[in-house]
Amino acid sequence: MERDNHQEGVAEGVKICDPPAESNPPADTLATSLSLLGNHMFPDPVERNYGTTVNREEPVDSLLSDVSAEEPSLNAESHSNQVTKLETEETESPECQNNVATQPSDRGAQDAATDSDQGDSGEFVVTMLAKAKLEEQGLGMKGRSSPLLEAGTEEYPAFMSHRDEDVTADSWRQHRKHVFVLSEAGKPIYSRYGSEEALSSTMGVMMALVSFVQSGDNIIRSVYSEENTVVFLQKGPLVLVCVSSSRQSERQLRGELLYVYYQIISMLTQASISRIFEHKKNYDLRRLLAGSEKILDGLLNLVDSDPSFLLAAVHCLPLASSLRDSLSQILQKAITPNLVFSILIARNQLLTIVQEKTVIEDTRLEPADVHLLLNLIGASSAFQAGEIWTPICLPLFNPDCYFYAYISYLDPPECTVCLLLLSTDKEAFYSVAECKRKIEEAMVAQNSLSLIAKVQSYSVSQVGVSDLRHFMYKPFDVPDNYRQLTQFTSPEMEAPYSSEEEKMRLLDLYRYMHSRIHSTSRPLKLIYHVAERETLLAWVTSKFELYTCFSPLVTKACAITAITKLLRWIKKEEDRLFIRYPPKYSTTPNPSKSSRGGKSDQQDSTDNGFLSLL
Amino acid sequence: MPEVSKMKKPDVKVVLLGDMNVGKTSLLHRYTERKFKDTISTVGGAFFLKQWGPYNISIWDTAGREQFHGLGSMYCRGAAAVILTYDVTNWQSLAELEERFLSLTDTANHDCIYAVVGNKADLTDPNAQLYQDSNVAPEDQTECEEERPEPQVLSACPTPPASPASLSGSVLHKQVAPEDAVAFYGRILRYKGLDEKSSLPAEKMCFETSAKTGYNVDTLFEALFDLVLPSILRKRNENQESPTVDLEECRGASNKRARSSCC
Ligand SMILES: Nc1nc2c(ncn2[C@@H]2O[C@H](COP(=O)(O)OP(=O)(O)OP(=O)(O)O)[C@@H](O)[C@H]2O)c(=O)[nH]1
Ligand SMILES: [Mg+2]
């Protein structure tokens, strides 16, 4: 069972079912949507230009208010009859779903008045499946706003978070990528923008879609419109939905949803989530996730801005191998029973990672788990003070168990170098904190901190290939990399990619290349792509995956020569660019105590105690 | 645990408990950094060492979220003082102390002292709002000045903040009166099976504070530290008698109790 879980990992995302050919959804997806939404939802091309008017049509409202009845707490008084209906919906959803599909118009009359401001955002979700936004100028990704830019816009005062956004506003609709998480009962759990409460009817609509398709023994995977791709991912009792205008492939978007799911698992464990919902189908999971929204927000911002997620590989800071080795040895010596991972991080990139021996024989640390850890640290400025001790689950390692993470910065007040120690023992704080003291002492003795402070990422100019502007290189075959963390290397993004906007544009181009090269219908080995302002070449072999960006007008032949040079340079530098020989230590005398152990999950998740609070 | 030795061993442990968002992290931050700044909801627990005269006081700032409920008794193990924090504008936060947090203190020392702290007093009490933290770091003073007119209630109350002249604090209704806290303190003593007469009086152990303005914050921490001194001295004596005793001392014994009592 263990391995099976992992197959679904982002790295092996291939398993995820074929996306329909772009802008040409397969008949069944379209058909189901059509029957559910009524033909109004897919207006003919002429209507499309007035997309926004479409959503005023009666059937839409009716569908919405129908679904919003699933949220009795919000509309309780006026909808008592429908609240009763809710009960039946849970148990006999196929029948009720038929209701939704076949009787839209007569409900319309009945419920037209119930369209509240919540309805408006729900309306959006429905209409965005079909509506065409007024044309943006230019082609492709040019006109799209980057999430980084959005974060800085003056639309909202700085102290107002995205959670306070007005979900009826156009600006809300125009976010490049929405992410929603809801429970099978249609209860909102998380929304990237806007509060979950305000979006409960929107989420109801989504759940209606999911369960309607389910009632026909199908699974809804995606809906395409001209502007947006809507991707659904169901994981256990959770449904995750992404509405994106980013032009990413369905598979990429689904991979991102999977990260969101994993981040939730990392906080609660899969076992307890299933148990909670077995116990109480319409449990409000926000009770347990309250306060974690910033961690999910941070993850989504990282997913948009850090290619590690796209490549499912970790980025380590380039470091002279002698320095890296000495840091590893420091970690290797500071151990205590049940310590399983020691990780040193600088500026959110790995310096080194040391693992417990028995653990490493058993499995390897997956990049996605490292990403979640890095995000947790990055999203929590609070970690900068004091020493943190917190339970955390590494979902790809074992989705049902907690580790206990010790997190502390080694260089206050700058707080750039962070130590992360993972133990399987909840009570081990003081002995793990003692490891930190040893590490601190050794680092002082070896002057490590000032050496680390000097470390920088590298510039593409060091490669010495003219016209090469940027690249991302992910090796598969490093001999020592076998069963090691998948890594990639990439230079700093420099001019002309120094503004946030341009960075995002380059990343979007990479995402496009990535989706082409990994297309399930027509996978490619090599793509030479002449874009408007640059030329890109992506190449996948059995040994590596490489994305390069050149100045425009570089010919294919030139690019290939340049790449040969680049590969030679990487080969020469690989000891510096990658963690090559990750050391191990042995702290667990009794391997069955490891978090991997089959039985320990029970104990662990009940130990964390919140089940008793249900 | 042979390794636990070299660490500058804390003499005594103080734990901050209370529902999420009541301002535990902000209180500690105000006390240690003399600042009020944006926080994020605490994950797990954060451990701080505070030098108090010749003594090392360890302070655990715990997460109030239910998600971390199970860890509470671990953070409380062997505590000499527990600060039970609520938000004066939120009745539920006091109720939660009784329902969810009090039982976590079962693992604390038998002579542990309890403080009941109503934070965010600046929102309801003009004195607390106009209070000036005399120890504010110079560069922070201005920041504070600017901040003052804007109450931190934006999510609860999206209306524009009142002008500095009219006290914005009066906008918020005070939900917990000092008497409620005193009554709760009495129930804590009863829960612990302590005699009211021989225990510290409620007037001494119930506080209203503002992490935002600094009102009563030093008073709170300093009063507590002074009160735990006997505990420190006793502990030092014990340590002289049996040098192997350390922070983990009562782990084995209290483990079972903690488990059974938290559910
Ligand atoms: N007005 C006012 N706001 C406060 C005060 N103390 C904290 N806050 C605000 O309350 C919110 C929560 O503060 P935190 O200190 O993070 O709360 P916490 O108790 O540590 O919460 P958890 O870590 O989730 O358990 C923040 O927005 C603070 O700015 C106060 O004294 N007055
Ligand atoms: Mg906190």
Side-chain angles (χ1 to χ4, degrees):
Chain A
M1 118 138 213
E2 298 181 343
R3 228 35 227 177
D4 289 356
N5 279 340
H6 305 162
Q7 294 305 324
E8 272 184 271
V10 177
E12 297 99 341
V14 204
K15 291 231 140 181
I16 293 161
C17 126
D18 294 3
E22 253 143 79
S23 72
N24 190 10
D28 62 332
T29 320
L30 195 58
T32 45
S33 314
L34 280 173
S35 60
L36 176 59
L37 302 171
N39 284 324
H40 306 277
M41 296 319 303
F42 286 90
D44 62 49
V46 183
E47 271 180 82
R48 242 175 233 209
N49 291 330
Y50 313 98
T52 36
T53 60
V54 176
N55 54 22
R56 302 276 173 249
E57 295 194 18
E58 287 281 300
V60 182
D61 281 341
S62 69
L63 173 64
L64 278 169
S65 30
D66 202 0
V67 176
S68 66
E70 288 197 10
E71 199 55 49
S73 57
L74 282 165
N75 295 322
E77 298 97 342
S78 56
H79 286 152
S80 45
N81 56 333
Q82 290 170 20
V83 175
T84 0
K85 182 174 166 266
L86 162 73
E87 315 278 300
T88 50
E89 253 177 32
E90 265 175 20
T91 45
E92 308 168 8
S93 63
E95 200 184 309
C96 293
Q97 293 308 330
N98 274 340
N99 265 351
V100 174
T102 55
Q103 312 177 346
S105 38
D106 44 64
R107 295 201 80 96
Q110 194 181 321
D111 296 332
T114 64
D115 189 26
S116 61
D117 50 350
Q118 286 130 23
D120 209 15
S121 65
E123 202 179 302
F124 164 61
V125 175
V126 179
T127 51
M128 74 198 164
L129 305 181
K131 90 171 183 186
K133 222 165 59 187
L134 295 172
E135 285 79 32
E136 287 168 5
Q137 296 308 308
L139 291 165
M141 289 131 184
K142 211 162 108 197
R144 287 168 207 290
S145 58
S146 101
L148 292 175
L149 294 176
E150 274 178 10
T153 49
E154 295 308 305
E155 265 171 73
Y156 309 98
F159 49 81
M160 246 168 109
S161 76
H162 283 305
R163 223 142 298 289
D164 305 316
E165 259 182 59
D166 177 5
V167 302
T168 60
D170 264 354
S171 57
W172 182 82
R173 296 171 185 225
Q174 269 147 29
H175 284 297
R176 174 177 140 124
K177 195 183 285 164
H178 281 274
V179 172
F180 307 93
V181 182
L182 44 146
S183 73
E184 259 182 319
K187 272 228 195 285
I189 294 171
Y190 170 78
S191 165
R192 186 179 189 182
Y193 305 110
S195 80
E196 295 84 14
E197 285 90 353
L199 290 164
S200 58
S201 57
T202 308
M203 304 229 196
V205 173
M206 294 175 182
M207 200 53 229
L209 271 169
V210 170
S211 40
F212 174 71
V213 175
Q214 235 165 31
S215 69
D217 272 340
N218 284 315
I219 294 172
I220 187 164
R221 297 195 163 270
S222 55
V223 178
Y224 289 84
S225 79
E226 217 158 278
E227 275 307 317
N228 290 295
T229 306
V230 187
V231 175
F232 296 83
L233 173 68
Q234 178 146 23
K235 295 292 286 179
L238 303 187
V239 176
L240 298 97
V241 184
C242 173
V243 179
S244 166
S245 59
S246 67
R247 298 281 168 195
Q248 281 173 267
S249 73
E250 178 180 338
R251 204 175 125 202
Q252 284 169 355
L253 294 172
R254 186 164 288 112
E256 296 180 1
L257 286 179
L258 203 52
Y259 278 117
V260 174
Y261 174 72
Y262 286 148
Q263 188 83 66
I264 293 173
I265 293 301
S266 80
M267 298 184 269
L268 299 177
T269 77
Q270 191 165 274
S272 27
I273 291 181
S274 336
R275 236 170 300 162
I276 285 167
F277 283 104
E278 268 164 34
H279 208 83
K280 207 171 159 210
K281 251 202 154 29
N282 59 356
Y283 184 78
D284 185 354
L285 200 62
R286 277 178 307 164
R287 254 181 83 179
L288 292 178
L289 284 177
S292 309
E293 302 88 355
K294 281 190 189 169
I295 292 178
L296 293 174
D297 294 348
L299 176 80
L300 287 167
N301 289 339
L302 267 187
V303 159
D304 281 334
S305 62
D306 179 349
S308 312
F309 291 84
L310 176 71
L311 296 175
V314 299
H315 194 188
C316 69
L317 209 60
L319 212 59
S321 59
S322 58
L323 178 54
R324 202 182 314 268
D325 289 346
S326 75
L327 293 174
S328 305
Q329 279 159 19
I330 291 173
L331 295 187
Q332 210 176 359
K333 280 178 195 148
I335 54 173
T336 182
N338 299 317
L339 190 66
V340 286
F341 290 108
S342 306
I343 302 173
L344 205 53
I345 298 148
R347 282 165 272 141
N348 227 21
Q349 293 182 347
L350 279 189
L351 285 170
T352 184
I353 180 164
V354 187
Q355 277 173 299
E356 212 283 329
K357 263 201 187 79
T358 42
V359 168
I360 207 172
E361 264 158 34
D362 209 17
T363 182
R364 60 177 191 168
L365 195 55
E366 295 289 333
D369 283 341
V370 177
H371 292 154
L372 299 179
L373 285 170
L374 291 179
N375 175 54
L376 179 75
I377 293 170
S380 314
S381 57
F383 287 156
Q384 297 192 2
E387 298 160 56
I388 304 295
W389 184 248
T390 184
I392 176 129
C393 161
L394 301 182
L396 286 132
F397 191 84
N398 183 337
D400 299 328
C401 269
Y402 280 115
F403 284 101
Y404 294 88
Y406 172 92
I407 302 167
S408 175
Y409 281 91
L410 298 175
D411 61 339
E414 284 79 26
C415 295
T416 52
V417 182
C418 181
L419 175 69
L420 173 65
L421 301 172
L422 289 177
S423 167
T424 53
D425 179 6
K426 177 179 169 183
E427 306 282 341
F429 172 79
Y430 293 100
S431 49
V432 173
E434 185 53 31
C435 293
K436 181 225 171 176
R437 307 281 159 234
K438 284 187 199 157
I439 290 167
E440 227 167 15
E441 266 170 37
M443 287 179 76
V444 168
Q446 302 186 18
N447 199 23
S448 315
L449 282 178
S450 60
L451 294 175
I452 293 172
K454 282 188 213 124
V455 172
Q456 278 179 345
S457 194
Y458 56 97
S459 156
V460 70
S461 62
Q462 287 172 265
V463 181
V465 175
S466 57
D467 292 327
L468 180 63
R469 286 178 175 180
H470 191 259
F471 68 89
M472 304 193 294
Y473 173 82
K474 169 175 150 185
F476 297 131
D477 76 328
V478 184
D480 319 275
N481 206 32
Y482 178 64
R483 287 174 77 80
Q484 288 302 336
L485 207 50
T486 312
Q487 300 167 48
F488 79 100
T489 187
S490 180
E492 215 76 83
M493 280 199 186
E494 293 162 304
Y497 307 108
S498 23
S499 73
E500 291 303 333
E501 200 174 14
E502 283 300 294
K503 265 185 196 144
M504 190 53 64
R505 200 177 58 81
L506 177 58
L507 282 176
D508 280 337
L509 285 165
Y510 280 148
R511 283 189 263 261
Y512 168 74
M513 301 293 277
H514 178 274
S515 73
R516 290 277 312 274
I517 220 156
H518 292 286
S519 149
T520 32
S521 50
R522 207 165 68 94
L524 299 167
K525 290 221 171 321
L526 186 87
I527 305 175
Y528 173 75
H529 175 71
V530 181
E532 235 172 303
R533 282 179 263 167
E534 52 275 290
T535 297
L536 293 107
L537 198 145
W539 188 13
V540 178
T541 74
S542 60
K543 296 191 169 159
F544 61 82
E545 185 167 332
L546 174 69
Y547 299 85
T548 49
C549 170
F550 294 94
S551 35
L553 309 177
V554 165
T555 63
K556 196 169 177 178
C558 280
I560 302 258
T561 325
I563 283 178
T564 318
K565 273 195 200 160
L566 170 63
L567 291 175
R568 221 176 285 140
W569 181 84
I570 292 172
K571 183 82 201 145
K572 192 171 71 135
E573 298 286 325
E574 64 187 355
D575 280 346
R576 193 169 68 89
L577 301 178
F578 300 102
I579 301 175
R580 295 272 289 163
Y581 306 99
K584 300 161 194 178
Y585 50 65
S586 175
T587 62
T588 312
N590 172 11
S592 69
K593 265 206 94 175
S594 103
S595 204
R596 269 258 166 199
K599 277 279 164 272
S600 50
D601 57 339
Q602 200 121 19
Q603 171 227 325
D604 260 331
S605 29
T606 32
D607 248 7
N608 230 28
F610 47 77
L611 280 175
S612 61
L613 297 163
L614 279 177
Chain B
M1 296 277 139
E3 277 105 333
V4 188
S5 56
K6 258 189 284 160
M7 173 171 164
K8 191 167 56 172
K9 208 187 296 161
D11 295 295
V12 77
K13 176 151 132 183
V14 176
V15 183
L16 278 154
L17 288 184
D19 204 359
M20 75 175 273
N21 218 34
V22 298
K24 301 176 295 297
T25 305
S26 304
L27 277 172
L28 192 57
H29 200 80
R30 164 62 73 185
Y31 179 63
T32 57
E33 312 276 318
R34 323 236 47 99
K35 276 184 197 160
F36 178 72
K37 65 162 194 187
D38 208 21
T39 55
I40 85 138
S41 182
T42 305
V43 178
F47 177 89
F48 298 81
L49 263 186
K50 166 85 188 168
Q51 198 79 27
W52 179 248
Y55 307 110
N56 292 313
I57 295 180
S58 66
I59 305 176
W60 273 105
D61 171 26
T62 65
R65 287 142 67 176
E66 282 188 28
Q67 190 194 330
F68 300 109
H69 186 76
L71 282 165
S73 48
M74 182 243 156
Y75 298 127
C76 285
R77 186 154 305 138
V82 172
I83 304 176
L84 291 155
T85 320
Y86 64 92
D87 170 351
V88 292
T89 66
N90 179 349
W91 172 261
Q92 187 58 26
S93 69
L94 183 72
E96 291 286 325
L97 284 179
E98 197 151 1
E99 284 162 25
R100 202 144 61 85
F101 294 98
L102 191 52
S103 63
L104 297 178
T105 64
D106 291 357
T107 51
N109 281 349
H110 61 276
D111 61 350
C112 178
I113 57 172
Y114 297 88
V116 180
V117 174
N119 189 40
K120 308 200 186 179
D122 58 284
L123 297 176
T124 60
D125 177 358
N127 286 333
Q129 191 183 23
L130 297 172
Y131 178 85
Q132 299 261 342
D133 188 347
S134 51
N135 277 324
V136 168
E139 85 277 16
D140 193 44
Q141 187 86 48
T142 46
E143 185 190 318
C144 255
E145 225 74 78
E146 282 164 27
E147 250 176 279
R148 191 152 298 134
E150 303 216 340
Q152 286 285 311
V153 289
L154 285 158
S155 53
C157 147
T159 46
S163 70
S166 77
L167 280 180
S168 54
S170 52
V171 173
L172 264 193
H173 177 59
K174 183 158 179 168
Q175 291 196 359
V176 186
E179 303 82 66
D180 300 325
V182 168
F184 173 51
Y185 183 75
R187 293 197 296 278
I188 296 176
L189 295 184
R190 236 169 296 142
Y191 174 84
K192 296 284 165 190
L194 295 170
D195 178 28
E196 216 161 303
K197 291 197 196 79
S198 58
S199 307
L200 292 161
E203 314 84 73
K204 249 184 121 177
M205 300 311 288
C206 295
F207 298 82
E208 287 198 350
T209 60
S210 165
K212 188 171 176 185
T213 65
Y215 175 73
N216 254 348
V217 174
D218 289 354
T219 320
L220 163 70
F221 283 100
E222 283 162 15
L224 275 188
F225 292 166
D226 282 339
L227 286 168
V228 295
L229 272 179
S231 179
I232 296 177
L233 295 173
R234 190 177 46 78
K235 195 160 175 171
R236 288 212 163 167
N237 283 335
E238 273 172 17
N239 280 355
Q240 270 154 17
E241 283 154 31
S242 60
T244 51
V245 174
D246 62 49
L247 264 187
E248 322 260 298
E249 57 187 343
C250 40
R251 172 201 282 187
S254 50
N255 230 350
K256 291 247 157 52
R257 198 153 55 99
R259 289 257 159 79
S260 51
S261 60
C262 78
C263 304

